[in-house]
Amino acid sequence: MTQSTRKTATLLIDCPDRKGLVAAIINFLVQQYDVNILNADQHQDAELGLFFMRVEFATEAAGFDELSFRTAFQPLAQQFQMNWRIELADAPQNVCLFVSQYLHCLADLLHRHQTGEFHCNLALIVSNHESARPLAEFHHVPFYYLPVGRENKQQVERQQLALLDEHKIDLVVLARYMQILSPKFVDAYPRRIINVHHSFLPAFTGAKPYHAAFARGVKLIGATSHYVTAELDEGPIIEQDVARVSQNDQLPSLIQKGRDLERLVLSRAVQWHLDHRILSYANKTVIFA
Amino acid sequence: MTQSTRKTATLLIDCPDRKGLVAAIINFLVQQYDVNILNADQHQDAELGLFFMRVEFATEAAGFDELSFRTAFQPLAQQFQMNWRIELADAPQNVCLFVSQYLHCLADLLHRHQTGEFHCNLALIVSNHESARPLAEFHHVPFYYLPVGRENKQQVERQQLALLDEHKIDLVVLARYMQILSPKFVDAYPRRIINVHHSFLPAFTGAKPYHAAFARGVKLIGATSHYVTAELDEGPIIEQDVARVSQNDQLPSLIQKGRDLERLVLSRAVQWHLDHRILSYANKTVIFA
Amino acid sequence: MTQSTRKTATLLIDCPDRKGLVAAIINFLVQQYDVNILNADQHQDAELGLFFMRVEFATEAAGFDELSFRTAFQPLAQQFQMNWRIELADAPQNVCLFVSQYLHCLADLLHRHQTGEFHCNLALIVSNHESARPLAEFHHVPFYYLPVGRENKQQVERQQLALLDEHKIDLVVLARYMQILSPKFVDAYPRRIINVHHSFLPAFTGAKPYHAAFARGVKLIGATSHYVTAELDEGPIIEQDVARVSQNDQLPSLIQKGRDLERLVLSRAVQWHLDHRILSYANKTVIFA
Amino acid sequence: MTQSTRKTATLLIDCPDRKGLVAAIINFLVQQYDVNILNADQHQDAELGLFFMRVEFATEAAGFDELSFRTAFQPLAQQFQMNWRIELADAPQNVCLFVSQYLHCLADLLHRHQTGEFHCNLALIVSNHESARPLAEFHHVPFYYLPVGRENKQQVERQQLALLDEHKIDLVVLARYMQILSPKFVDAYPRRIINVHHSFLPAFTGAKPYHAAFARGVKLIGATSHYVTAELDEGPIIEQDVARVSQNDQLPSLIQKGRDLERLVLSRAVQWHLDHRILSYANKTVIFA
């Protein structure tokens, strides 16, 4: 065995729950590609009658590549009415970070990438402010300053989309990017844009959630990472976390505690997405973590 | 010193924040009643310019009782525009528990009372179902079965209020009581009715919050204890807690995890209320815990 | 299909990790018993080269029962050097609760059983004190008072073992039972005795862990449920949880907070054990939850 | 009133608990310096009979400075046998960060300082490795590379102490500095050296705590920040936090989760220390937060 011929991949499936599914999938992989199953995880949504599966496998089969797999798996997929995708672990994904003036999430993601937590290529940083430039330069990530005003919003989005296209971006991370993306932009990257919202959704959607939480007198504040959809703050939730607050926490301290939460929920979402651990359906997510 | 003459009390104050407040209050207590300060806690709401204080003290002064204190403290209170109350630790408070068919909070409160966690007199249990009767009898708490229908709601409330009055109830605890109280009822016990809502308020107000949380795909579920006001689920929050859920938690398991949260947040609220640790203002609470 | 012929069972396996394991197991189940896989979960310990699997399945195969399964599965088990067990969901397990004077865990377990959280038969309660008798009677569980002194320890254990034997006990739960069981007792119920220790193990083993935690000035206290082994407090950990404490928590309040943790970690352990979700190996546990 | 004459300060006291303490302290401040009390917090250790107090106040009194306060307060302090200190909020404290090769805590502290979370002067970074130099330069903090071997340990400590002396360092933060400081070094900065240990102390003291936690099979991992004393990992605990782990967390993922905890507990400790919110006694801490 030469190491060079060994490939690993992740197969993600959702479909109506039916008898024989697990065996059919496992047998296909074993018979077709003589795989070694590294990890197999499944889940049922009893209420909706849905089945979800994630299989991570290794194979040394000569003929294994994405195209051949697609062709070979198609009949089985059709038979069981599967939504499915195969992700090969060969090339790191290209990621673009969007940020405005608050840099804590960006700094955190950049440091984690440097530490080796994320297996990806940080291809570029896009911002409507200049504040993030020094951090970008320190981490040697190309930085694009694209200021957004009322008049040029459409034009800037075209520039942004061209950049994403040019760099073959797989994932867009909104690391506290304070502009609302158009439905057209969102549609171009379905389940490929992750945002962090600084509240425990669905509480306190919209602007200034910390102010709203403070005014309501909650005893825990939260943060939420989610896929962006056309409806603001309504996309499938990926991760949430909370921290305890008390009367001793006036607004600034509440915001400070919130920053820690934002960092955590966003970085977990990014890592799970990069590891192909997230399946999204019916505006919810299944996390195979 | 004979132990019998020693009295302890708690003084709770909120008022506009002004220089000299702490000294004025402490000096009054020392000079008037030669107190031993057991605990003094204060808090400022910088935004609203408000000051909050809780002083727990012991005194052996011969003339100390609630009435004499009220008279003596009044001038200072007026000078600083205080909202204030004094709570003597002599007599345990009378508590009434309301419950419907879910008994987990009731069972928990009864057990905690038996264990000695609550310093109070569990005077009676009121329910619109018979389910709680065995538990009430096991704990030797008088049980009143008052079924509520569409037609007799007003009449039942009159009966309930009469019972509360007769037993000199200080605190009403809604331990999963599934009927909405009328504004008249609520007004009769301002900041003296504690409810538990099975969501992380303000998310998922109203009926079936677990179903709503499940449908939204949140990653944490919560429970909230709060004072009841005329507006449903909008009263001052006393305590909140959350638990992690995943796709493995279908509705029943989510409800089961929620029960643990409900028990915790309700019992903490009851204990803090009984210990006079809660100050409520502007639809928020200050917890001196 | 008649509902009466449908059986569900759980298969638990650990063995050296080898290629083809998943497929071999799944195919055996499908070909032999035409199963419907309700849940399949696996785990690898990369360091130790071990493979773990839990499969929950349903079958309507006429010949399916525990004995026939054992015979049919044996060759495959041997081939892959499996430790394995099959658990049929037909009969509820028999559980015996041991308790001393602190009743909070017992009361909690009894209430959860009543609520339907545990699918088991609470066969008996054994105690070295009389305190639990009223609770036992309220819940209609036979109560055995077996006081333990220095001289009669061996004799009492014999009585206890006879009781367990007589009631065909599957699981012993030490719900704050303050006597140390002999190695002989422990050996009679391997991985079938669950204890709750009131600390975050391995910190504060032995007696009076809350006192030790208070003296050390920790900022979080914990509780741990674990399988009992011959070495005190050293068995495989099943579940742990913690709560925040501060200088405001003197010993009594620390103990009170601890009680909530004990209830939670013990009840989770019991539930997972009853649902056959725990695999124990190398003094650790794998929880398929 | 000119803003320039207004000074704020924090008074921290511990002493035997005696009647009249609070009034005596408050009255001294009001009568001597006509203070405005911004915050007053007290605590009793009932078991040890100790009293603790933190008063944050503002004054415009002409004669107020540290020296005059020391002289004026001394008689009262003596009368009540106080340990006490006064901290004026005028000059930011000088902080020195020690680090080895793991940079996550350092990067976090530097970013928080940049964000404005810490009110201090980051005077220098000392390391036995070169790895942190780029980060230090990016944040414009002087960097001193002092490699430590078996032979030069004493000599390096002399250099380090000289640097701390030269920069008038108030606080030393060991941000994953993997060398053990000598008792002489520790004695030079009593309660002024904060360390982060990557376990939930007192569990897993010493080297490789994550490995030990993994081997023991704990269900939560922790991190602890504490003041350094002559005894390794035995100093007063300032803050602790934990994260849930499962069988899915092999060692690398456990270490990654731990890094997040280390950042949190260390940064909280640094902030509380800088804000004079920590009182240490009897190898414990009181946190006025």
Side-chain angles (χ1 to χ4, degrees):
Chain A
M1 162 194 164
T2 58
Q3 190 63 25
S4 59
T5 64
R6 189 177 186 264
K7 285 176 180 164
T8 67
T10 305
L11 176 64
L12 288 150
I13 297 165
D14 69 289
C15 61
D17 195 8
R18 272 171 52 189
K19 201 172 149 178
L21 260 169
V22 176
I25 295 163
I26 298 292
N27 284 330
F28 170 84
L29 293 175
V30 169
Q31 286 158 18
Q32 203 79 14
Y33 296 109
D34 189 28
V35 304
N36 192 9
I37 291 172
L38 305 174
N39 225 298
D41 219 343
Q42 58 157 101
H43 166 66
Q44 277 96 357
D45 188 314
E47 205 180 328
L48 300 180
L50 290 178
F51 171 87
F52 306 87
M53 192 172 197
R54 179 185 186 272
V55 190
E56 214 179 317
F57 61 85
T59 177
E60 296 167 43
F64 178 78
D65 61 26
E66 190 169 336
L67 192 66
S68 84
F69 187 93
R70 290 191 171 284
T71 314
F73 193 65
Q74 194 49 37
L76 195 69
Q78 223 151 5
Q79 178 191 342
F80 285 100
Q81 299 171 270
M82 296 179 184
N83 296 312
W84 68 281
R85 60 186 218 262
I86 179 88
E87 306 276 0
L88 270 73
D90 45 5
Q93 294 164 73
N94 295 316
V95 176
C96 172
L97 306 175
F98 276 56
V99 69
S100 291
Q101 286 184 290
Y102 300 119
L103 305 182
H104 53 283
C105 284
L106 180 76
D108 184 65
L109 294 172
L110 289 169
H111 180 74
R112 287 178 195 272
H113 182 255
Q114 193 180 35
T115 310
E117 290 188 16
F118 299 146
H119 178 60
C120 72
N121 168 37
L122 287 188
L124 70 160
I125 296 171
V126 170
S127 183
N128 55 335
H129 292 273
E130 281 283 12
S131 341
R133 188 183 292 276
L135 256 177
E137 285 174 356
F138 179 66
H139 286 275
H140 310 297
V141 182
F143 179 80
Y144 292 83
Y145 169 50
L146 298 177
V148 183
R150 211 168 277 175
E151 293 83 32
N152 71 342
K153 205 168 177 331
Q154 285 201 332
Q155 182 201 325
V156 168
E157 276 211 349
R158 273 195 302 273
Q159 286 177 278
Q160 291 169 340
L161 284 168
L163 277 170
L164 298 182
D165 195 48
E166 179 191 332
H167 288 82
K168 300 188 194 318
I169 293 302
D170 298 294
L171 174 66
V172 175
V173 179
L174 308 183
R176 297 299 305 271
Y177 182 66
M178 309 307 272
Q179 300 286 327
I180 295 171
L181 303 177
S182 76
K184 192 194 147 198
F185 191 114
V186 172
D187 285 352
Y189 289 87
R191 301 297 188 262
R192 297 197 170 264
I193 309 173
I194 295 176
N195 183 41
V196 59
H197 183 74
H198 39 309
S199 87
F200 183 81
L201 288 177
F204 310 124
T205 54
K208 298 210 174 257
Y210 288 132
H211 291 73
F214 182 69
R216 181 62 185 92
V218 293
K219 300 301 183 185
L220 298 166
I221 55 160
T224 304
S225 54
H226 63 95
Y227 284 122
V228 175
T229 57
E231 272 188 277
L232 189 66
D233 301 332
E234 296 289 341
I237 292 170
I238 302 171
E239 174 64 333
Q240 304 189 289
D241 217 332
V242 295
R244 195 157 280 280
V245 294
S246 78
Q247 62 264 13
N248 295 328
D249 295 286
Q250 297 283 305
L251 204 40
S253 122
L254 201 137
I255 290 170
Q256 180 177 327
K257 286 187 174 179
R259 280 198 294 260
D260 284 333
L261 298 175
E262 295 167 36
R263 277 186 275 248
L264 289 173
V265 300
L266 183 57
S267 63
R268 285 180 204 145
V270 169
Q271 180 160 26
W272 292 336
H273 183 96
L274 292 175
D275 293 351
H276 311 300
R277 297 188 176 281
I278 312 179
L279 241 173
S280 172
Y281 77 106
N283 214 40
K284 297 166 98 168
T285 60
V286 173
I287 311 289
F288 294 110
Chain B
M1 162 193 162
T2 58
Q3 190 63 26
S4 60
T5 64
R6 188 175 187 266
K7 286 176 180 165
T8 66
T10 304
L11 177 63
L12 287 150
I13 296 166
D14 68 290
C15 62
D17 195 6
R18 272 170 53 188
K19 203 172 149 177
L21 260 168
V22 177
I25 295 163
I26 298 293
N27 284 329
F28 170 85
L29 293 174
V30 169
Q31 286 158 18
Q32 203 78 15
Y33 296 109
D34 189 29
V35 305
N36 191 9
I37 291 171
L38 304 174
N39 224 298
D41 219 343
Q42 59 156 101
H43 166 66
Q44 278 98 356
D45 187 314
E47 205 180 328
L48 300 179
L50 291 177
F51 171 88
F52 306 87
M53 193 171 195
R54 179 184 186 273
V55 191
E56 214 179 318
F57 59 85
T59 178
E60 297 167 41
F64 178 79
D65 62 25
E66 189 168 337
L67 191 66
S68 84
F69 187 93
R70 291 190 170 285
T71 315
F73 193 64
Q74 194 49 38
L76 195 71
Q78 224 150 7
Q79 180 191 339
F80 286 99
Q81 299 170 267
M82 293 178 185
N83 297 311
W84 68 281
R85 61 187 218 261
I86 179 88
E87 307 276 3
L88 270 72
D90 45 4
Q93 294 163 73
N94 295 316
V95 175
C96 172
L97 306 175
F98 276 56
V99 69
S100 292
Q101 284 184 290
Y102 300 120
L103 304 182
H104 53 284
C105 285
L106 181 77
D108 184 66
L109 294 171
L110 289 169
H111 180 74
R112 288 176 194 273
H113 183 255
Q114 192 180 35
T115 311
E117 292 188 14
F118 299 146
H119 177 62
C120 72
N121 169 36
L122 287 188
L124 70 161
I125 295 171
V126 171
S127 183
N128 54 335
H129 291 273
E130 282 282 14
S131 341
R133 187 183 291 277
L135 257 177
E137 285 174 357
F138 179 66
H139 287 275
H140 310 296
V141 182
F143 179 81
Y144 292 84
Y145 169 50
L146 298 177
V148 183
R150 213 168 273 177
E151 293 82 33
N152 70 343
K153 205 168 178 329
Q154 285 201 332
Q155 181 201 324
V156 170
E157 276 212 352
R158 273 194 303 272
Q159 287 177 276
Q160 292 168 339
L161 284 167
L163 276 170
L164 299 182
D165 196 46
E166 178 192 333
H167 287 82
K168 299 187 196 318
I169 292 302
D170 298 293
L171 173 66
V172 175
V173 179
L174 307 183
R176 298 297 308 268
Y177 182 65
M178 309 308 272
Q179 298 287 326
I180 296 171
L181 303 177
S182 76
K184 194 193 147 197
F185 191 114
V186 172
D187 284 352
Y189 289 87
R191 302 296 188 263
R192 297 197 169 266
I193 308 173
I194 295 176
N195 182 42
V196 61
H197 183 75
H198 39 309
S199 86
F200 183 81
L201 288 177
F204 311 123
T205 54
K208 299 214 173 251
Y210 289 132
H211 291 73
F214 182 69
R216 181 61 184 93
V218 293
K219 300 301 183 184
L220 299 165
I221 56 160
T224 304
S225 54
H226 64 93
Y227 285 123
V228 175
T229 58
E231 271 188 277
L232 188 67
D233 301 333
E234 296 289 341
I237 292 169
I238 302 172
E239 174 64 333
Q240 303 188 289
D241 218 332
V242 295
R244 194 158 281 280
V245 292
S246 77
Q247 62 264 14
N248 295 328
D249 296 286
Q250 296 283 306
L251 205 40
S253 124
L254 201 138
I255 289 170
Q256 180 177 328
K257 286 186 173 180
R259 281 199 293 259
D260 284 333
L261 299 174
E262 294 167 37
R263 278 188 274 250
L264 289 172
V265 301
L266 183 57
S267 63
R268 287 180 203 145
V270 169
Q271 179 159 26
W272 293 337
H273 183 95
L274 292 174
D275 293 350
H276 310 300
R277 297 188 176 280
I278 311 179
L279 241 172
S280 172
Y281 77 105
N283 213 41
K284 295 165 98 169
T285 60
V286 173
I287 311 289
F288 294 110
Chain C
M1 163 193 162
T2 59
Q3 190 64 26
S4 58
T5 64
R6 190 178 185 262
K7 286 176 179 164
T8 66
T10 305
L11 176 63
L12 287 150
I13 297 166
D14 68 289
C15 62
D17 195 8
R18 272 170 53 189
K19 202 171 148 178
L21 261 168
V22 177
I25 296 163
I26 298 292
N27 283 330
F28 169 86
L29 293 173
V30 169
Q31 286 158 18
Q32 203 78 16
Y33 296 109
D34 189 29
V35 304
N36 192 8
I37 291 172
L38 304 174
N39 224 299
D41 220 342
Q42 58 158 99
H43 166 65
Q44 278 97 358
D45 188 314
E47 205 180 329
L48 300 179
L50 292 176
F51 171 88
F52 306 87
M53 193 172 197
R54 179 184 187 274
V55 190
E56 214 179 318
F57 60 86
T59 177
E60 295 167 43
F64 178 78
D65 61 27
E66 189 169 336
L67 191 67
S68 85
F69 188 92
R70 290 191 170 283
T71 314
F73 193 63
Q74 194 50 37
L76 196 67
Q78 223 152 5
Q79 179 191 341
F80 285 99
Q81 299 170 267
M82 295 179 184
N83 297 310
W84 67 282
R85 60 187 219 261
I86 179 88
E87 307 275 2
L88 269 73
D90 44 6
Q93 296 163 72
N94 294 317
V95 176
C96 171
L97 306 175
F98 276 56
V99 70
S100 292
Q101 285 185 290
Y102 299 118
L103 305 182
H104 53 284
C105 284
L106 180 76
D108 184 64
L109 294 172
L110 289 169
H111 180 74
R112 287 178 195 272
H113 183 255
Q114 191 179 37
T115 311
E117 291 188 15
F118 299 145
H119 177 61
C120 71
N121 168 37
L122 286 188
L124 71 160
I125 295 172
V126 171
S127 183
N128 55 335
H129 292 273
E130 282 283 13
S131 341
R133 187 183 292 276
L135 257 176
E137 285 174 357
F138 179 66
H139 286 275
H140 310 296
V141 182
F143 178 81
Y144 292 84
Y145 168 51
L146 298 177
V148 183
R150 212 168 274 175
E151 293 81 33
N152 71 343
K153 205 168 178 329
Q154 285 200 333
Q155 181 201 326
V156 170
E157 276 211 352
R158 274 194 301 273
Q159 286 178 278
Q160 292 169 339
L161 285 168
L163 276 170
L164 300 183
D165 195 48
E166 177 191 332
H167 287 82
K168 298 190 197 317
I169 293 301
D170 298 294
L171 173 66
V172 175
V173 179
L174 307 183
R176 296 298 306 269
Y177 182 64
M178 310 308 272
Q179 299 287 326
I180 295 172
L181 303 177
S182 76
K184 193 193 147 198
F185 192 114
V186 172
D187 284 351
Y189 288 88
R191 303 296 187 263
R192 297 199 170 264
I193 309 173
I194 295 176
N195 183 43
V196 61
H197 182 75
H198 39 310
S199 86
F200 182 82
L201 287 177
F204 311 124
T205 53
K208 298 213 173 255
Y210 288 133
H211 291 73
F214 182 68
R216 181 63 185 92
V218 292
K219 301 301 183 185
L220 299 166
I221 56 160
T224 304
S225 53
H226 63 94
Y227 284 122
V228 175
T229 58
E231 272 189 277
L232 189 68
D233 300 333
E234 296 289 341
I237 293 170
I238 302 171
E239 174 64 332
Q240 304 188 287
D241 218 332
V242 295
R244 195 157 280 279
V245 294
S246 77
Q247 62 263 14
N248 294 329
D249 296 287
Q250 296 283 307
L251 205 39
S253 123
L254 201 137
I255 289 170
Q256 181 177 327
K257 286 187 173 178
R259 281 199 293 260
D260 285 333
L261 298 175
E262 295 166 36
R263 277 186 274 249
L264 290 173
V265 299
L266 183 57
S267 63
R268 286 180 203 145
V270 170
Q271 180 158 25
W272 293 336
H273 183 95
L274 293 174
D275 292 350
H276 311 301
R277 296 188 178 280
I278 312 179
L279 240 173
S280 173
Y281 77 106
N283 214 41
K284 296 165 97 168
T285 60
V286 172
I287 311 289
F288 293 109
Chain D
M1 162 193 163
T2 57
Q3 191 63 24
S4 59
T5 65
R6 190 176 185 265
K7 286 175 178 165
T8 67
T10 305
L11 177 63
L12 287 150
I13 295 166
D14 68 290
C15 61
D17 196 7
R18 273 170 53 189
K19 201 172 151 179
L21 260 168
V22 176
I25 294 163
I26 299 292
N27 284 329
F28 169 85
L29 292 174
V30 169
Q31 286 159 19
Q32 204 78 15
Y33 296 109
D34 190 28
V35 304
N36 192 7
I37 291 170
L38 304 174
N39 225 297
D41 219 343
Q42 57 156 100
H43 167 65
Q44 277 98 356
D45 188 314
E47 205 181 328
L48 300 179
L50 291 177
F51 171 87
F52 305 86
M53 191 171 198
R54 179 183 185 274
V55 191
E56 214 179 318
F57 60 85
T59 178
E60 297 168 40
F64 178 79
D65 61 26
E66 190 169 336
L67 191 67
S68 84
F69 187 93
R70 291 191 170 283
T71 314
F73 193 63
Q74 194 49 38
L76 194 70
Q78 224 151 7
Q79 180 191 339
F80 285 100
Q81 299 170 267
M82 294 178 184
N83 297 312
W84 68 281
R85 60 186 219 261
I86 178 87
E87 307 275 2
L88 270 72
D90 43 7
Q93 295 164 72
N94 295 316
V95 175
C96 172
L97 306 175
F98 276 56
V99 70
S100 292
Q101 284 185 290
Y102 299 119
L103 304 183
H104 52 284
C105 284
L106 181 77
D108 184 65
L109 293 172
L110 289 169
H111 181 74
R112 287 177 195 272
H113 182 256
Q114 192 180 36
T115 310
E117 291 188 15
F118 299 147
H119 178 61
C120 72
N121 168 37
L122 286 188
L124 71 161
I125 294 171
V126 171
S127 182
N128 55 337
H129 291 274
E130 282 283 12
S131 342
R133 188 183 291 278
L135 257 176
E137 285 174 356
F138 179 66
H139 287 276
H140 310 297
V141 182
F143 179 80
Y144 291 84
Y145 169 51
L146 298 177
V148 183
R150 212 170 273 177
E151 293 82 32
N152 71 342
K153 205 168 179 327
Q154 285 201 332
Q155 182 200 325
V156 169
E157 275 212 351
R158 273 195 302 274
Q159 286 177 279
Q160 291 169 339
L161 285 168
L163 276 171
L164 299 182
D165 195 48
E166 179 191 331
H167 288 82
K168 299 188 196 317
I169 292 304
D170 298 294
L171 174 66
V172 175
V173 179
L174 307 183
R176 296 299 305 271
Y177 182 65
M178 309 307 273
Q179 299 287 325
I180 296 172
L181 303 177
S182 76
K184 194 193 146 198
F185 191 114
V186 172
D187 284 352
Y189 289 87
R191 302 296 187 262
R192 296 197 171 265
I193 308 173
I194 295 175
N195 183 40
V196 61
H197 183 75
H198 39 308
S199 86
F200 182 81
L201 288 177
F204 311 123
T205 54
K208 298 212 174 255
Y210 288 132
H211 292 73
F214 182 69
R216 181 63 185 92
V218 292
K219 299 301 183 185
L220 299 166
I221 55 160
T224 304
S225 54
H226 64 94
Y227 284 123
V228 175
T229 57
E231 272 188 277
L232 189 68
D233 300 334
E234 295 289 341
I237 292 169
I238 302 171
E239 174 64 333
Q240 304 188 288
D241 218 331
V242 295
R244 195 157 280 280
V245 292
S246 78
Q247 62 265 12
N248 294 329
D249 296 287
Q250 296 283 306
L251 204 40
S253 124
L254 200 137
I255 289 171
Q256 180 176 328
K257 286 186 172 179
R259 281 199 293 262
D260 285 333
L261 298 174
E262 296 167 35
R263 277 186 275 250
L264 289 172
V265 299
L266 182 57
S267 63
R268 286 180 204 145
V270 169
Q271 179 159 26
W272 292 337
H273 183 95
L274 292 174
D275 293 350
H276 311 300
R277 296 189 177 280
I278 312 179
L279 240 172
S280 171
Y281 78 106
N283 213 40
K284 295 165 97 168
T285 60
V286 173
I287 310 290
F288 293 110

